[in-house]
């Protein structure tokens, strides 16, 4: 009983141990380095926001964390003792299979899952985004931009990620829809206790929800702090 109890020193709602640690990450494409010696720790249970302009290296950072882009130097330590993590990446834009139905899209993760992986039931995704239940038999390409965003988040969640990476979830969506999607994700992660990293250009998406904010500029982390210190962030933002 003692062995699996939560340490009393960790206040509820606060982030825990390091889940992913990036040490001196240099990564890029061809001869071009995008990330310039990035050090970053993502803590267990936190909602970390990364803010940066176009081309700052946000998507590149997510690709490195997800293991899709090997760094040129530095190292990524994932999970306790570096044993690795289940990571769900929701890519930028409309990342769905447009000719397949909504239901088929939600089945795709089953094909990708490792044997014995803890899949999240489709019903749970439907409860999160009820519109997907109503649109089950429609081709995903016929969904609105917001519905496609919900579907791509649902696909990533089916794999039961310990770390969910969201690449600009607000892009091209009306503020009310963004709020609805963010609330659904926030509620779901609180139920399941997974960690979320969101990259955005839209600071307002992160201000009220992120536990911690990091700003990235030209491939380097230039600010790391709490959303409560927003005056600093706004000042910094203007000088980008
Ligand atoms: N596959 C690629 N091949 C070559 N260069 C790339 C590739 N992907 C991105 N880049 C370049 O790397 C830099 C950083 O790109 P990245 O996509 O990480 O930026 P970002 O912060 O996500 O920008 P945005 O907000 O526009 O999505 C840019 O200059 C971009 O042109
Ligand atoms: Mg990007």
């Amino acid at each position: 009983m003692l062995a699996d109890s939560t340490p009393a020193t960790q206040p509820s709602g606060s982030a825990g141990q390091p889940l992913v640690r990036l040490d001196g990450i240099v990564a890029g494409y061809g001869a071009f380095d995008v990330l310039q010696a990035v050090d970053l720790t993502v803590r267990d249970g936190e909602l970390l926001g990364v803010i940066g302009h176009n081309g700052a290296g946000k998507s590149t950072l997510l690709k490195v964390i997800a293991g899709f882009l090997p760094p040129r130097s530095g190292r990524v330590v994932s999970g306790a003792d570096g044993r690795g993590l289940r990571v769900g990446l929701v890519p930028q834009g409309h990342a769905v299979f447009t000719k397949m139905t909504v239901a088929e899209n939600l089945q795709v993760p089953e094909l990708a899952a490792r044997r014995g992986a803890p899949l999240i039931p489709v019903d749970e995704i439907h409860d999160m985004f009820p519109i997907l239940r109503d649109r089950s038999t429609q081709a995903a390409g016929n969904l609105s931009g917001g519905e496609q965003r919900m579907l791509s988040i649902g696909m990533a969640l089916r794999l039961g990620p310990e770390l969910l990476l969201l690449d600009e979830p607000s892009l091209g969506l009306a503020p009310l829809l963004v709020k609805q999607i963010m609330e659904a994700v926030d509620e779901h992660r609180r139920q399941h206790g997974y960690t979320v990293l969101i990259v955005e250009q839209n600071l307002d998406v992160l201000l009220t929800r992120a536990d911690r904010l990091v700003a990235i500029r030209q491939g380097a982390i230039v600010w790391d702090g709490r959303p409560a210190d927003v005056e600093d962030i706004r000042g910094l933002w203007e000088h980008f």
Side-chain angles (χ1 to χ4, degrees):
M1 182 165 166
L2 272 178
D4 55 15
S5 63
T6 310
T9 49
Q10 189 187 319
S12 64
S14 78
Q17 297 299 310
L19 189 71
V20 179
R21 219 181 62 228
L22 272 59
D23 284 334
I25 293 294
V26 178
Y29 313 93
F32 177 50
D33 286 342
V34 175
L35 300 180
Q36 319 273 347
V38 167
D39 296 327
L40 179 68
T41 300
V42 183
R43 295 189 172 276
D44 194 9
E46 76 177 341
L47 196 162
L48 174 63
V50 175
I51 192 95
H53 280 320
N54 284 122
K58 304 183 296 299
S59 297
T60 304
L61 178 70
L62 294 190
K63 285 180 219 167
V64 169
I65 293 175
F68 296 151
L69 182 67
R72 290 195 218 288
S73 64
R75 62 183 196 136
V76 182
V77 182
S78 294
D81 308 324
R83 62 168 165 78
L85 275 181
R86 287 191 309 281
V87 178
L89 172 65
V90 181
Q92 199 166 335
H94 302 310
V96 299
F97 297 100
T98 54
K99 298 222 165 91
M100 290 163 59
T101 66
V102 170
E104 286 165 348
N105 269 273
L106 285 174
Q107 282 164 6
V108 168
E110 293 172 23
L111 307 173
R114 295 218 175 103
R115 194 190 289 268
L119 279 172
I120 287 187
V122 173
D123 262 353
E124 205 171 300
I125 307 299
H126 285 164
D127 291 345
M128 204 175 161
F129 301 120
I131 191 82
L132 297 180
R133 181 180 278 127
D134 303 338
R135 302 274 191 273
S136 279
T137 59
Q138 274 187 23
N142 293 337
L143 298 180
S144 72
E147 290 160 358
Q148 290 193 24
R149 191 70 37 85
M150 293 173 193
L151 180 56
S152 58
I153 293 171
M155 290 165 74
L157 284 179
R158 283 223 60 211
L159 289 165
E162 294 157 277
L163 173 64
L164 179 69
L165 307 173
L166 296 173
D167 198 340
E168 300 205 42
S170 80
L171 201 66
L173 303 188
L176 207 61
L177 200 55
V178 174
K179 186 165 178 282
Q180 187 194 335
I181 291 176
M182 291 305 300
E183 274 170 9
V185 170
D186 213 5
E187 194 185 318
H188 194 257
R189 72 135 182 153
R190 282 174 200 282
Q191 281 167 11
H192 288 265
Y194 53 84
T195 305
V196 178
L197 195 169
I198 303 180
V199 307
E200 268 294 341
Q201 296 191 53
N202 181 352
L203 183 56
D204 291 334
V205 171
L206 300 173
L207 269 186
T208 53
R209 285 198 179 77
D211 297 311
R212 183 161 66 102
L213 280 177
V214 164
I216 181 169
R217 180 175 141 205
Q218 293 176 3
I221 301 231
V222 292
W223 199 94
D224 187 338
R226 297 169 307 149
D229 300 328
V230 67
E231 288 309 317
D232 275 15
I233 303 175
R234 288 221 189 268
L236 180 74
W237 197 236
E238 279 155 19
H239 290 98
F240 265 21

